[in-house]
Structure formats: C-alpha cells, structure tokens
Amino acid sequence: MLPFQTLLTINKDSAAPVYQQIANGLVGLIRDGVIKPGAGLPGSRELALILQVHRKTIVAAYQELFTQDWIETIPRKGVIVSQKLPEIKPRSFKAVAKIPAYAGNTGFPFQQVGPYPATMVRSGEHRLMINDGFPDHRIAPIDMLMREYRSLFHSPGIKRYAAYGSMSGPLSLRTELTGFLSETRGLNIGAQNILLTHGAQMSIYIAARLILKPGATVLVGDPNYFMADMIFQQCGAKLQRIPLDEQGMDVDAIAAICKRKKPDLLYIIPHHHHPTTVTLSAERRMKLLELIRQYRFPVIEDDYDYDFHYGGSPILPLASADHDGNVIYIGSLTKSLATFMRVGYMVAPENFIQEAAVLRRIIDIRSDNVLEEALATLFRNGDMQRHLKKSVKLYHERRDHLCNLLDQELKHVVKFHKPAGGMAVWAQFDKKYPLPAIAAKAAANGLLMSDGASYSFHTHNYNALRMGFASLNEKELSEVVEILKKLV
Amino acid sequence: MLPFQTLLTINKDSAAPVYQQIANGLVGLIRDGVIKPGAGLPGSRELALILQVHRKTIVAAYQELFTQDWIETIPRKGVIVSQKLPEIKPRSFKAVAKIPAYAGNTGFPFQQVGPYPATMVRSGEHRLMINDGFPDHRIAPIDMLMREYRSLFHSPGIKRYAAYGSMSGPLSLRTELTGFLSETRGLNIGAQNILLTHGAQMSIYIAARLILKPGATVLVGDPNYFMADMIFQQCGAKLQRIPLDEQGMDVDAIAAICKRKKPDLLYIIPHHHHPTTVTLSAERRMKLLELIRQYRFPVIEDDYDYDFHYGGSPILPLASADHDGNVIYIGSLTKSLATFMRVGYMVAPENFIQEAAVLRRIIDIRSDNVLEEALATLFRNGDMQRHLKKSVKLYHERRDHLCNLLDQELKHVVKFHKPAGGMAVWAQFDKKYPLPAIAAKAAANGLLMSDGASYSFHTHNYNALRMGFASLNEKELSEVVEILKKLV
C-alpha cells in the first residue's frame, strides 16, 4: 500500500476542513498518476487509523470524491479509483517531491513588454522621498470623502452602483465635470463627451488603442512622458521625436512632417510638459491648431495637472479651441486627491467616447463608482473647488520654497526653470554629478529619489529628474536640499 | 470696433474670476481669427466701460494676456494682438455662432471595438433586477472596510500607499492570498506569483495581450463568457469554439485540434462555467492536464467564483495540478465584496507576472491600494473568511429557493440544471417565449432583466439568460418568479 501518512498532509490549523484536505490530497495523487485508475483505496476504517482521524472524516472525504467522480465503489472490492479516468504517464513519486507548477518559468513564449525604467533607487527604509510630482495625500479631502462614503453606503441609491451602470461612468460626476471643465478650461461639452476611467493613464491607453494600428507613427516630445511612450510602443507604433525648447514642442518640425506624410497621432502635453514643465507658447498653439484643422490628424492632449497653475491663469487647452473634433483631451482628478484615488477622464466627440467606453469595459469593467459618486457630491456642493483652491495656494508656496532653496544652495549643481505650474521642478544636474551615484548616496541617507533613468532611457542622458515639491512641506523640502547639498 | 459686449460673455456666478473670463474670451477670439495679429484692442478704460466692469479687471486681464504672449504694447499705439502670432484663415464671425469642437464626430477614423450586446432591457424605473450573478452588496463587509479605511487613513503607513509601491500590488494582500489560495485551492505559490489587478477582467485582458499575436487562435467554449471573447478579438485573435455539454468542454475536441496544430491559447472556466454553470468532469480534467503537459500551450483558467460552492467541496483548479507552468489562473475578490469594489488577481510563473505587472502599470497605474490593504487586514484577522462562510450559506439558500420556485412555477417554460455553485442559474426559456419579448414586458412590470443577447450573439440563439440569485433575498426572488409567471 502507498504510504498515505506521508503522501497526505493534514493541517489542523487550516480553514479548510480535514475531510476536504484529505479529499483534495487524494485528487492530487490520482491526477498526478501516483494512484492509477482502477487501483483500490484503503477502507475508511483503515485509512482513518493510518491518518489518525475519525472514521467519519474519511467517509466524508470519500463521499466528496464519489460526488466528483474520482472514485467508485465495486461490490466486494471496495473503493477504487474511477476506471473511466484516463491513464496518464506514470509520474509515481516524483509528484511527492515535485517542483510546484509555478516555481519555474512558463512553458510557452510570450510578449516582453519591458524594459520598465527603474524610477526609484531603494535601500531599506527611507524618511523622505522626491517623487515625480504627486499630490500631498496629507491634505487630501479624506474626511469629506469618508462622510460621503458613509452616506452613500447607507442610502438606498447604493443599488445603482451595485449594478454595472453607464458604460461611461456615473452621469452625476460626468455632469459635474462638464460644468467644471467649462468654467476652468473653456470646454464646451456635454456629459456624452466624457468617459471616466480608472486614472488618466487608462484614458491615454484606450485612446491610443483606438487610434493606432501596428506600424503607425506617433509624434512625441523629445523627451516625453515615458509611460505614454510605452503605451504607443505597446500598440505597435513607431515614435517620431519632436524637439522641444522653452516654448514647448517645435511646431514647425511638426508642419514639415505633415507636408511629407500625415502623422497617425500627435501626443502633446502643452501645459506643464512632462517631464520638462515647459508650456507651449501662444504662437505655437495657434500654428498647431491650424495644422490640426488643415491635416485632420488625431491629437491626444494630455493636460494632467492643468488645475495647478501658479503664475496667473493657466493657458486654455487646445481642446477649447476650434479643432474640428480632432483633439482627445485627457485630464486627471487623482492629482487633486491622492495617488491612491484613481479617477481620470477623456473628453472626445461622442462617436469616439462610445467606442472608448466599450473598450474600457472589456479592459476594466468600471471604476470605483462610490468614489466617483462621492466626488460628484463634492463638486456639487463646492467642497472640491475649495479644496483645489487651498491645494494650489499651498503648492504655490512649496514651489517657491524649493526654487529658492535650489537657487541658494545648489545653484552650481542644478539647472532649472521655475515652473509656472504643476507639482515638480525639472532639475538638470551638472554632468559632474551623475544621478545614479547621487541617488545611491541619497538612499543611504534616508532619501529616496529617482536615478534619472525614467527620463533619459529613450534618447540621451539628461542627468535630470523631476523634483516633486507638492507632497513635501517646507521643512521636508529644506531637509531634502540639505541632504543633496551634502552629497555633491 | 468689434462688438465686445456680445463677443465676451461674463458669468458672475462662475468660479473663474471675471478678469480670467475676459482674458480667456479674448484668447478665443484671437485663436479663432476673429481678431488678427497686429490688430489694436480697446484701452482698458474703454473696454471697462463697454463690459461694465471695473477698469482694474481689464488691466488684470491684459496683464494675463501679456504674460501669455497673446498681446503686446506699442508706444503711442496702445495694446495690440501680438504680431508674432500666425495669420490664420479668416473665420470671422463664424467663431461666434460656431458648432463646438466636440458636437460633431471625430475628424479621423478609428477602430470600432464592435457591438457590445445589450445586457439589460431598460424602461424607466425598476424595482427588481435579475443580474448576471452579482454578489449582494447589502451583505458586503462595508462596516469592517470603513473601520480599516479610517485606521489606514490615520496611520503613518498611509505614506506607503501614496507612493506607487510594488508593481504587482501591495505585498500584504499578496501574502495573505498565498495562504488563502493554498488552503482553499491547493495552490502552491509565493507572493511573487501573484499580480493584483483592478478586477479579474483586467487580469484576463493583460494575460491575453501578453500571449496573443494578431491572427492567433484561441479555443473557447460554445458558448463562452462574451467579455472574454471580446478581449481575444480585440487582440486580433480568431476564436475557435469547442462544444460544451453537462461535463464541460469537450476535451477530445481539444485533443483533435492539438494533433493538427497547437492552439495559441485555451480559455476555460472549468468550475461553474460562464454562462452555463457546468463543471468540467474529473475525467476531462485529467485528459486536459495531460494535453497541456504534452503540447505545452498556454491556458487561462478563469475561476471567478470558486469560493461560492454549495454541493460539497469545490473541485480543485487545474492550476493546482502539475501543468509545467502553462496555466495562468485568474480569480476575483469582487465577488466576495460588491461589484463596485474591484480586486482581481492573476497567478502565474514569476517571469510572466513580471511582464504582466509592467503592462498593467502602463494600462492602469495601480489599483486602489487602500482597499487592498484593508482587505489584507480582513484576511489576516479572519474577518474575510467568516464573511465568505456567511455569504456562501446565504447564497446556498437563495439558490435552493430560486430553483424550487422555477421547478414549481415555471417548469413548462424554463429548462435548467441546479448549479453546484456560483451566483446564477442558467435558465433556457422555451422558444415559444422569446426573451426579448419577455424582457420588454418585464421592464414594464418593474423588473429589469437581460434579453439574452449577451449569451447568444456569437453563435446561435440559446434563448437563455443567467438568473443571478445571490443579490436578491427570498422575498425578492419570489416576486421575480411571480412576475415572470404572469408574463408567460
């Protein structure tokens, strides 16, 4: 007889009942060919003795296996492994000591998406972190949201969120957004022009998937937001990089390309460009709009932190001008909340939104409707607008504080322009101080920071990083600069 | 002079300050070619009179335009539109009455994702809904989650969730899941074998994208979960349908296909198949595992409601057997919570999880980490397991109640097998009662239900729907059957 006491392990602390553990163990032995079809199993009394369990437990286990067709009862022979089961190649005791199925690699080839540039150099615990430009979760309107959650969860309306609801996201938030986007951005749209997604990133992905075919050409900045580059490459597109200076993307270069061949897509961040923070000048904006109307190519306008502008008014998006339905506008509410609350939106002509909503559903059925409904309420009663105003004031101060510090303490090391908005300073380090070395030393001093790889990997080494200032208070910003100063 | 009082509208109730509204209005007129480069603008005093605002407001608006390079000041000529701006084709007053850019269609062609079968026939308000098999949000562990949210939001650890964290999702929940999956499903894995996604649907999408190239062949059930079909088609794959009976997918048919040409992917729901609820028999399971080991083709095992089994123990997944790393296992926690709390997971060899995590990040940066952390705590202290046990007991009763009612009241109309688990009964209506007509009449009686399109559109008309029983209590189930009985 097989050594069942070693083959079948019973864990009395497990949540699974013992009879089920025994049944599952036997299934494993049958399935792996250790016990063959037709082979006899010990009687329930005998197996109970071997395994030191109550006989009823074995009876229950056998009952289970019987129901699942793994075993059958033959008169005068007792319990045997079902003879209908296929003979499989003998694996005998290999099964006992076998490598678990997931311990090795896949048995098949598949697409390699990578490389994903490391964004942070880690080394144990850290006290401080320079991120890419995240909001400060410490000022996020958590209490207001919790208040709304409580009231939503206990309202009869919760029924609506339990069903799948509109493919584009809750009408309440889309309606509030039409008002908000009209007031802040001059966008003249209806709720049918909005798709809510689980963050702005998903909006970019969905728009790109709808627009791009393999082999397509996408115009992007040099440099560009690397996660957008990765999306376009994932769609099988080729990137064509457009030079970028203090005025933003070189629109004449785009015009020259259009004359030869219409691009399949232009991805542009005209306001607080990522990573460099530059803003497209008025002149180039007008030229670009004219090109868009003339050649009718699709444009993704990524305006992820429009709401955070400090030098006067923000510049209206391309989307607010006359573009004959060619501009897909993408924005984020995550930046106004916290990175762990993901709400983004896409603005487009209705025919595009309809397809985007279907694609969104098959990728990710829907967003967090309760969060979206809660946000709708906060917009409706003005809480969100007040929160934004407060955040902008605070981040404005933090920007000034960081820029002053960089000027005073690191002038010889860091080159930067004070950004007109957003949540980060584009800091180019002197080549004498390579960022990978700085980041490694910083990590040892409790400061987590990028080694610059995510901004440089695609073309050349800028030896630069985005220094997010929004999520650090003035004291923390001072500490950060102090550490950096010590390291150079 | 232009009629500025009609061209520039000021809304005193707007959150945007008046000076900014005026500045934005002027930018619009310049951008649309109504005011040309070099053209003079009225002095601030004059424009203030025309618009009935304080002169300081106009000064602020001009200051804004000046900063943004839209206007310049020429000595003795006053304020003019910047001469550097490009002349654009005259649009003159068209701009005033123009169609908003988003009112029409896109100016470019794009992918049509394809028909999304209507899942519900709506007609105004409804009291009751038969869904596809959703959990009952009324028993969701909302209070426990809110308790965890409160403590997470106010703990210093919140810092961790504000950073982007691990690409695969929080280690805490992945670690809890390895224990849970081992106990309940016999999966022998580590946290590195798990990717958390925003729902199980996203796991299917990501796995399919990594595995499939355009033109690939995917074996699916006939019928199959239509949202999986749509994913594979979106990846450019061809579907090859495998017949399905009471024993699940016809594995001999899969063997015959393998002999001719190895499939690029098999998508299978061996446990409580969607939509038919049948379970793959022991015999076919063993044969299939042998095929997988022999031909080494990738398999997506979708086990979305494994945790809800009523007839004894659930059958262990294929993933728990020896499959040489070929089975990608996908599960859902949403089913144990509520549809609006989306947490799914993928189990695979580490090399696959690594690429999947990168792809996941570029599609959807991350899940709701706070929800995930809260769930980890609920698993750790056993709350989640207790909640599951309670849910299973309740849904078991509801299944029995619905099946009894169908037997007693609709035997001549509805053909069904009592499902061994899951949250729905696969109800095939007699062809004399076409579902679209029934659903329309039901809607008029306050009952929202599927017209069967989502289960039938790809092959033939089953005239069937999934009758979700989990989200309705016994009284509601009785009402549903009563309404249906009246309609046939």
Side-chain angles (χ1 to χ4, degrees):
Chain A
M1 201 195 319
L2 288 166
F4 285 107
Q5 60 271 54
T6 36
L7 291 175
L8 297 171
T9 46
I10 293 167
N11 175 3
K12 304 233 169 181
D13 296 330
S14 165
V18 171
Y19 85 90
Q20 197 174 308
Q21 296 182 42
I22 295 172
N24 286 345
L26 287 169
V27 166
L29 295 174
I30 298 170
R31 223 172 34 186
D32 292 338
V34 181
I35 320 182
K36 302 240 169 323
L41 289 176
S44 56
R45 209 177 298 269
E46 193 182 355
L47 190 53
L49 264 176
I50 296 172
L51 298 179
Q52 303 277 322
V53 298
H54 198 283
R55 191 189 152 210
K56 275 189 184 159
T57 306
I58 305 297
V59 171
Y62 278 0
Q63 183 55 44
E64 198 55 54
L65 295 178
F66 183 73
T67 313
Q68 293 184 13
D69 283 333
W70 291 103
I71 59 174
E72 51 188 317
T73 316
I74 302 270
R76 256 165 310 177
K77 208 176 155 189
V79 176
I80 65 164
V81 175
S82 172
Q83 299 178 87
K84 283 191 316 189
L85 294 177
E87 272 278 0
I88 68 160
K89 281 195 207 97
R91 303 215 151 204
S92 72
F93 286 98
K94 185 198 149 209
V96 181
K98 76 178 176 205
I99 300 166
Y102 289 111
N105 280 345
T106 49
F108 54 87
F110 58 91
Q111 189 205 144
Q112 303 297 297
V113 182
Y116 185 85
T119 46
M120 289 289 164
V121 177
R122 285 176 192 281
S123 147
E125 284 298 299
H126 62 276
R127 279 180 307 113
L128 291 164
M129 175 167 88
I130 309 177
N131 61 41
D132 220 40
F134 296 168
D136 191 343
H137 65 274
R138 293 171 298 192
I139 65 157
I142 303 278
D143 291 333
M144 288 193 271
L145 281 171
M146 293 286 281
R147 181 190 72 205
E148 296 308 320
Y149 277 25
R150 260 194 304 277
S151 96
L152 282 167
F153 279 136
H154 295 109
S155 84
I158 188 77
K159 225 169 76 179
R160 276 190 289 139
Y161 324 126
Y164 278 166
S166 161
M167 304 250 283
S168 305
L171 183 62
S172 56
L173 183 55
R174 287 185 290 129
T175 304
E176 289 303 319
L177 275 179
T178 58
F180 178 72
L181 296 178
S182 156
E183 282 195 357
T184 57
R185 291 151 167 87
L187 287 180
N188 188 353
I189 53 169
Q192 74 283 1
N193 295 117
I194 298 182
L195 171 69
L196 295 170
T197 55
H198 194 243
Q201 184 77 19
M202 188 182 278
S203 281
I204 305 174
Y205 181 82
I206 288 172
R209 275 280 171 211
L210 290 185
I211 294 169
L212 297 174
K213 292 184 185 141
T217 301
V218 184
L219 310 186
V220 298
D222 185 2
N224 188 33
Y225 173 47
F226 75 97
M227 298 264 276
D229 285 350
M230 289 183 81
I231 285 177
F232 306 136
Q233 285 165 330
Q234 174 65 19
C235 294
K238 289 190 303 277
L239 304 179
Q240 187 161 0
R241 298 206 178 272
I242 306 294
L244 195 112
D245 57 27
E246 293 74 38
Q247 308 281 303
M249 257 189 180
D250 181 349
V251 173
D252 289 335
I254 299 176
I257 290 168
C258 287
K259 264 184 206 146
R260 291 196 302 273
K261 187 179 171 300
K262 181 164 106 174
D264 297 300
L265 174 65
L266 164 68
Y267 171 80
I268 189 165
I269 315 169
H271 206 228
H272 319 149
H273 172 261
H274 191 291
T276 67
T277 77
V278 298
T279 289
L280 192 68
S281 69
E283 181 191 349
R284 290 192 184 172
R285 262 161 211 269
M286 284 188 62
K287 278 193 189 162
L288 180 56
L289 282 165
E290 188 68 4
L291 284 176
I292 294 169
R293 287 188 294 258
Q294 185 184 346
Y295 292 100
R296 301 172 70 83
F297 54 86
V299 176
I300 293 179
E301 179 175 26
D302 184 353
D303 206 7
Y304 66 107
D305 60 8
Y306 177 91
D307 295 308
F308 299 91
H309 195 79
Y310 317 122
S313 315
I315 299 187
L316 289 182
L318 298 170
S320 70
D322 195 1
H323 53 73
D324 293 342
N326 289 298
V327 175
I328 312 293
Y329 180 80
I330 288 171
S332 169
L333 294 179
T334 295
K335 291 279 176 187
S336 314
L337 299 166
T339 45
F340 49 78
M341 294 181 177
R342 305 203 58 75
V343 183
Y345 53 87
M346 173 196 295
V347 173
E350 195 179 354
N351 65 331
F352 194 84
I353 291 294
Q354 279 169 354
E355 293 302 316
V358 177
L359 181 53
R360 186 268 154 82
R361 176 149 288 188
I362 65 177
I363 291 176
D364 171 41
I365 295 184
R366 60 179 195 169
S367 291
D368 308 298
N369 286 180
V370 177
L371 172 58
E372 292 172 337
E373 290 287 350
L375 286 176
T377 308
L378 296 191
F379 269 111
R380 201 175 308 119
N381 62 25
D383 279 338
M384 195 65 191
Q385 290 85 336
R386 279 186 290 276
H387 169 67
L388 263 175
K389 201 170 262 180
K390 216 176 70 183
S391 314
V392 168
K393 183 163 172 294
L394 187 68
Y395 296 164
H396 189 161
E397 289 162 10
R398 291 179 179 178
R399 177 201 65 166
D400 290 347
H401 186 71
L402 175 61
C403 290
N404 288 343
L405 286 172
L406 291 178
D407 254 343
Q408 286 158 20
E409 310 290 342
L410 291 167
K411 208 181 177 89
H412 57 297
V413 181
V414 173
K415 209 179 80 190
F416 73 98
H417 290 283
K418 192 172 184 168
M423 303 191 178
V425 169
W426 175 239
Q428 293 188 271
F429 277 62
D430 191 301
K431 296 278 153 100
K432 275 190 304 207
Y433 306 102
L435 274 178
I438 299 263
K441 279 192 257 173
N445 281 271
L447 170 63
L448 197 62
M449 64 182 278
S450 165
D451 64 355
S454 41
Y455 314 112
S456 295
F457 76 108
H458 51 60
T459 38
H460 64 283
N461 181 13
Y462 291 95
N463 202 43
L465 84 162
R466 282 170 61 89
M467 292 184 72
F469 52 78
S471 57
L472 297 168
N473 62 33
E474 300 198 0
K475 183 164 161 287
E476 290 162 338
L477 288 169
S478 300
E479 284 184 74
V480 161
V481 172
E482 207 165 301
I483 293 176
L484 288 177
K485 199 182 165 189
K486 260 199 341 211
L487 301 181
V488 294
Chain B
M1 201 191 326
L2 287 167
F4 286 107
Q5 61 272 54
T6 36
L7 290 174
L8 296 171
T9 47
I10 293 167
N11 175 4
K12 304 233 169 183
D13 296 330
S14 165
V18 171
Y19 85 90
Q20 197 174 306
Q21 296 183 42
I22 295 172
N24 287 345
L26 285 169
V27 166
L29 296 174
I30 298 170
R31 223 173 32 187
D32 292 338
V34 181
I35 319 181
K36 303 238 170 323
L41 290 177
S44 57
R45 208 178 299 270
E46 192 180 355
L47 191 54
L49 263 175
I50 295 173
L51 297 179
Q52 303 277 321
V53 298
H54 197 281
R55 189 185 154 213
K56 274 188 185 161
T57 306
I58 304 297
V59 171
Y62 279 180
Q63 183 56 42
E64 198 54 54
L65 295 178
F66 183 73
T67 312
Q68 294 183 11
D69 282 335
W70 292 103
I71 59 173
E72 50 189 314
T73 316
I74 303 271
R76 258 166 309 178
K77 208 175 154 191
V79 176
I80 66 164
V81 175
S82 173
Q83 300 178 87
K84 283 190 315 186
L85 294 176
E87 272 277 2
I88 66 160
K89 284 198 203 96
R91 303 213 151 204
S92 71
F93 286 98
K94 184 194 151 209
V96 181
K98 78 181 175 203
I99 300 165
Y102 289 112
N105 280 346
T106 49
F108 54 86
F110 58 90
Q111 189 206 143
Q112 303 297 297
V113 182
Y116 183 84
T119 46
M120 290 289 163
V121 177
R122 283 174 195 281
S123 147
E125 285 297 300
H126 62 276
R127 278 180 308 114
L128 291 163
M129 175 167 89
I130 308 177
N131 61 42
D132 218 39
F134 295 168
D136 191 343
H137 65 275
R138 292 171 297 193
I139 65 157
I142 302 278
D143 291 332
M144 288 193 270
L145 282 171
M146 293 286 281
R147 180 191 72 205
E148 296 309 321
Y149 277 24
R150 260 193 303 277
S151 96
L152 282 167
F153 279 135
H154 296 110
S155 85
I158 188 78
K159 225 170 76 178
R160 276 190 288 138
Y161 324 127
Y164 278 167
S166 162
M167 304 249 283
S168 305
L171 183 61
S172 56
L173 182 55
R174 285 186 290 129
T175 304
E176 290 303 319
L177 274 180
T178 57
F180 178 72
L181 297 179
S182 157
E183 282 194 357
T184 56
R185 291 150 167 86
L187 287 180
N188 188 352
I189 53 169
Q192 74 283 1
N193 295 118
I194 299 182
L195 170 69
L196 295 170
T197 55
H198 194 243
Q201 183 76 20
M202 188 182 277
S203 281
I204 306 174
Y205 181 83
I206 288 173
R209 274 279 171 212
L210 289 185
I211 294 170
L212 298 174
K213 290 183 186 143
T217 301
V218 183
L219 309 186
V220 298
D222 185 3
N224 188 34
Y225 173 47
F226 75 96
M227 299 264 277
D229 286 349
M230 288 183 80
I231 285 177
F232 306 136
Q233 285 166 331
Q234 174 65 19
C235 294
K238 289 189 302 278
L239 304 179
Q240 187 160 1
R241 298 207 178 272
I242 307 292
L244 196 112
D245 57 27
E246 293 74 40
Q247 308 281 302
M249 257 189 180
D250 180 349
V251 174
D252 289 335
I254 299 176
I257 289 168
C258 286
K259 263 184 207 146
R260 291 196 302 272
K261 187 179 173 298
K262 183 165 105 173
D264 297 299
L265 175 64
L266 164 67
Y267 171 81
I268 189 166
I269 315 169
H271 207 229
H272 318 150
H273 173 261
H274 192 292
T276 67
T277 76
V278 299
T279 288
L280 192 67
S281 69
E283 181 191 349
R284 291 192 184 171
R285 262 161 211 268
M286 283 188 64
K287 277 192 189 163
L288 180 56
L289 281 165
E290 189 68 6
L291 284 177
I292 294 168
R293 287 189 294 258
Q294 185 184 345
Y295 292 100
R296 301 172 70 81
F297 53 86
V299 176
I300 293 179
E301 178 176 27
D302 185 352
D303 206 7
Y304 66 106
D305 61 8
Y306 177 92
D307 295 308
F308 299 91
H309 195 79
Y310 317 122
S313 315
I315 299 187
L316 289 182
L318 298 169
S320 71
D322 195 359
H323 53 74
D324 294 341
N326 289 299
V327 175
I328 312 294
Y329 181 80
I330 289 171
S332 169
L333 294 179
T334 296
K335 292 278 176 187
S336 314
L337 299 165
T339 45
F340 48 79
M341 294 181 178
R342 304 202 58 75
V343 183
Y345 53 87
M346 173 196 296
V347 173
E350 195 178 353
N351 66 330
F352 194 84
I353 291 293
Q354 279 169 354
E355 294 302 315
V358 177
L359 181 52
R360 184 265 156 81
R361 177 150 287 188
I362 66 177
I363 292 176
D364 171 41
I365 294 184
R366 61 180 195 167
S367 292
D368 308 298
N369 287 181
V370 177
L371 172 58
E372 292 172 337
E373 290 287 350
L375 286 176
T377 308
L378 296 191
F379 270 111
R380 200 175 308 119
N381 62 26
D383 278 338
M384 194 65 191
Q385 290 85 336
R386 279 186 290 276
H387 169 68
L388 261 176
K389 201 169 263 178
K390 215 177 72 183
S391 314
V392 167
K393 184 164 172 292
L394 187 68
Y395 296 165
H396 189 161
E397 289 163 9
R398 291 179 178 177
R399 177 201 65 167
D400 290 347
H401 187 71
L402 176 62
C403 290
N404 287 343
L405 286 173
L406 290 178
D407 254 344
Q408 286 158 19
E409 310 291 340
L410 290 167
K411 209 183 178 88
H412 57 297
V413 180
V414 174
K415 209 178 79 190
F416 73 96
H417 289 283
K418 193 172 183 167
M423 302 190 178
V425 168
W426 175 239
Q428 292 188 270
F429 277 61
D430 192 302
K431 297 276 154 100
K432 275 191 303 207
Y433 307 101
L435 274 178
I438 298 264
K441 281 192 254 173
N445 282 270
L447 170 64
L448 197 62
M449 64 183 278
S450 165
D451 64 354
S454 41
Y455 314 113
S456 296
F457 76 109
H458 51 60
T459 37
H460 63 283
N461 180 13
Y462 291 95
N463 202 42
L465 84 162
R466 282 170 62 88
M467 293 185 72
F469 52 77
S471 57
L472 297 169
N473 62 33
E474 300 198 1
K475 183 163 163 285
E476 289 162 339
L477 287 169
S478 299
E479 284 183 74
V480 161
V481 172
E482 207 165 305
I483 293 176
L484 287 177
K485 199 183 165 187
K486 259 200 341 211
L487 301 181
V488 293

